[in-house]
Amino acid sequence: MDVRGTVVVVTGASSGIGAGTAIAFARRGATVVLVARRLERLEELADRIERGGGRALALRCDVGDAAQLDRLPGIVEEALGPVDVIVNSAGVPGGGPFLDLSHERVEEVVRINLLSVLHATRAFVPGMRRRGRGHVVNVASIAARFAAPGTALYSATKHAVVAFSEALNYDTEPEGVLVTSVNPGFVDTEGFPQDHLPSRLVLPPTRVPEAIVKVVRDGIAPEYTVPRWVAPLQVFRVVTPPLYRWGMRRVRGRARPAPPAS
């Protein structure tokens, strides 16, 4: 897809990967729709994009509310026309060891990390199918492919996003609509600080947004891992599961105690 002239909706656009993705698409001539709860931040980002010569529209929307997501395509189409791409980037951390989490926290993480992806996709894909063109990009995580100690809830939601993206892509690809999960490694953002990791393991802030643009431009589906060298390690996990699980137990034994869930 030539992204110039397209309309791209980005959820979670008030910070982190979402904000970077909006900027990356705008620089290539797309009109970006910035979606999140923090309207003031969205308006600041929209102003920054427009001062740089791009086009942006800020829309406040709680992605945890399915009714608000259902209304979003109509609002965008009335203002800018049909949507070509939606990037589901909104996400929250898992909150700590699973048994320390409250029921309310579990439901919040599932609602934002998984259900918002399902509801947003359900809202936008019908229009894409009618037009025979579109791309849904769901930001997952390498935690979706490598279940690590201390990430039970977060990994579960991201595993589900990857499975959903692949399965739906089989259904929509023949109609011209691609669905892709992008699985980033460690990225230092406001919601996901990586101060405890060596800097060599942390991706530069622009790496994932650039990968998302590449996925849309090159029509890559149903999955893309960043950095690319991580992807072949999935073969190790599948072919030698006892060795992989031994390694994970070693990691667990050396890991520092996780902080209490917030």
Side-chain angles (χ1 to χ4, degrees):
M1 182 185 295
D2 182 0
V3 300
R4 182 172 296 279
T6 58
V7 175
V8 179
V9 174
V10 183
T11 72
S14 59
S15 65
I17 291 173
T21 299
I23 292 169
F25 274 108
R27 284 175 176 166
R28 290 164 172 82
T31 298
V32 291
V33 181
L34 315 175
V35 175
R37 289 179 296 182
R38 295 179 289 186
L39 183 59
E40 182 178 339
R41 284 209 180 185
L42 297 179
E43 290 175 338
E44 290 174 358
L45 179 57
D47 181 64
R48 175 183 168 188
I49 288 171
E50 292 184 344
R51 281 189 283 109
R55 294 186 64 199
L57 172 66
L59 292 177
R60 187 188 184 283
C61 176
D62 181 355
V63 298
D65 185 334
Q68 291 188 37
L69 288 172
D70 266 346
R71 292 192 292 269
L72 198 56
I75 295 171
V76 175
E77 288 192 22
E78 184 176 349
L80 300 171
V83 173
D84 300 288
V85 179
I86 177 167
V87 180
N88 288 308
S89 178
V92 293
F98 180 71
L99 296 181
D100 291 346
L101 302 178
S102 66
H103 293 301
E104 291 76 17
R105 179 59 174 166
V106 170
E107 290 177 0
E108 179 189 17
V109 174
V110 172
R111 185 169 60 249
I112 301 302
N113 287 4
L114 175 57
L115 292 181
S116 74
V117 172
L118 306 186
H119 292 309
T121 302
R122 188 177 184 276
F124 282 95
V125 164
M128 294 178 178
R129 292 174 72 181
R130 286 194 298 270
R131 294 186 294 274
R133 180 176 187 268
H135 204 138
V136 178
V137 179
N138 298 321
V139 178
S141 169
I142 60 168
R145 289 307 192 188
F146 303 96
T151 67
L153 178 58
Y154 183 77
S155 289
T157 60
K158 296 303 184 178
H159 269 283
V161 168
V162 171
F164 167 72
S165 302
E166 181 174 352
L168 185 61
N169 185 69
Y170 292 131
D171 296 333
T172 60
E173 186 176 27
E175 299 169 306
V177 180
L178 300 180
V179 184
T180 308
S181 65
V182 171
N183 308 331
F186 301 107
V187 185
D188 190 18
T189 65
E190 178 183 334
F192 295 82
Q194 307 293 345
D195 299 337
H196 61 293
L197 290 176
S199 59
R200 67 181 181 276
L201 297 180
V202 180
L203 294 171
T206 59
R207 184 74 176 275
V208 179
E210 290 298 323
I212 291 172
V213 172
K214 174 181 174 62
V215 161
V216 172
R217 186 187 62 219
D218 296 350
I220 299 171
E223 186 175 354
Y224 191 80
T225 299
V226 190
R228 297 301 297 150
W229 62 262
V230 174
L233 295 180
Q234 295 183 39
V235 176
F236 169 71
R237 177 181 63 84
V238 173
V239 174
T240 61
L243 188 58
Y244 166 75
R245 288 169 185 147
W246 174 84
M248 285 295 100
R249 291 185 180 100
R250 296 277 293 181
V251 170
R252 179 187 61 193
R254 295 178 179 178
R256 295 176 297 178
S262 57

